[in-house]
Every structure is written in C-alpha cells, then in structure tokens.
Amino acid sequence: ETLKRIVSTLAIKNDEIHNFIDTLNHTIKNVQINSSNAISELDEEFDGLYSILDEMKGSMSNTIQQEEARKIKALQDQLTQCSSALESSEELLELAAQSLDIKDPGEFLK
C-alpha cells in the first residue's frame, strides 16, 4: 500500500514536472518572440531616426553650401572692385608720373 502511494505520488510529480517543462518551453518561446518583436520595433525606430537625421544632414549641408556660395560671390565682387580700383589707381599714377616729366607749363595745363 505504501509502495502504491509512493508510485502514485511519483507519477503525479512526474506529470507536474512535464507540465512545468511545457510551461518553461512555452515561456522560452514567448521570451524569444517578445525579444524578436522588441528588436524589430527598435530597428524601425532607429531607421526612422536615421531617416530624420539624414534629412537634417541634407538640409544643413544645403544651407552651408548656399552660405558658402553667397560669401564667395560677395568676396569675388569685392575682389573685382579692388582690381578695378587698382587698375584705375595705376593709370592715375602713370598719368601723374608723365605729368611730372612735362617741363612746358602750357603742355602741363593740357
């Protein structure tokens, strides 16, 4: 009788262990599924962030290039004006030097 009870208890415990193993296997699958879903959501979130950052990078790069072009144009305009002023100044210096060489007052007034 005692042996039957022990065997019956062992059989019940054996069933409980099988049920617990099934529960553990089910929990493992759920953890794997949840982790996979979390990684997928994380990938989507980061893809969205990368997309936003890439758009911002493009916009900021465009702004920098426009500013560069504006500044270079302004500097080139100043360079052109300085070159023209220098050319006029050189012509004026040449005329002044020639004027200094004129000895005749009548010729000088012309």
Side-chain angles (χ1 to χ4, degrees):
E1 182 68 32
T2 303
L3 189 55
K4 283 184 181 179
R5 276 185 300 169
I6 292 172
V7 170
S8 176
T9 302
L10 285 175
I12 291 170
K13 294 298 179 184
N14 195 26
D15 284 344
E16 288 176 1
I17 290 172
H18 279 294
N19 287 337
F20 185 65
I21 288 172
D22 288 342
T23 301
L24 288 175
N25 283 327
H26 182 70
T27 302
I28 288 171
K29 286 179 185 175
N30 284 341
V31 167
Q32 289 171 331
I33 289 169
N34 290 341
S35 294
S36 179
N37 289 341
I39 288 172
S40 292
E41 290 173 9
L42 185 65
D43 285 342
E44 287 177 22
E45 186 70 26
F46 271 88
D47 287 345
L49 291 172
Y50 285 134
S51 177
I52 290 169
L53 286 173
D54 194 45
E55 286 177 25
M56 289 178 67
K57 176 187 172 189
S59 174
M60 292 172 82
S61 293
N62 188 35
T63 300
I64 290 168
Q65 288 171 344
Q66 288 175 352
E67 186 68 13
E68 175 190 26
R70 185 189 65 76
K71 287 179 178 180
I72 287 174
K73 182 173 180 346
L75 291 169
Q76 286 175 335
D77 289 347
Q78 287 180 0
L79 181 61
T80 299
Q81 291 172 358
C82 286
S83 294
S84 294
L86 183 60
E87 187 178 321
S88 296
S89 176
E90 287 173 350
E91 290 173 2
L92 185 59
L93 279 173
E94 187 178 324
L95 181 62
Q98 289 173 359
S99 298
L100 288 175
D101 289 338
I102 298 174
K103 304 294 182 210
D104 180 20
E107 184 68 26
F108 182 78
L109 292 176
K110 288 183 183 177

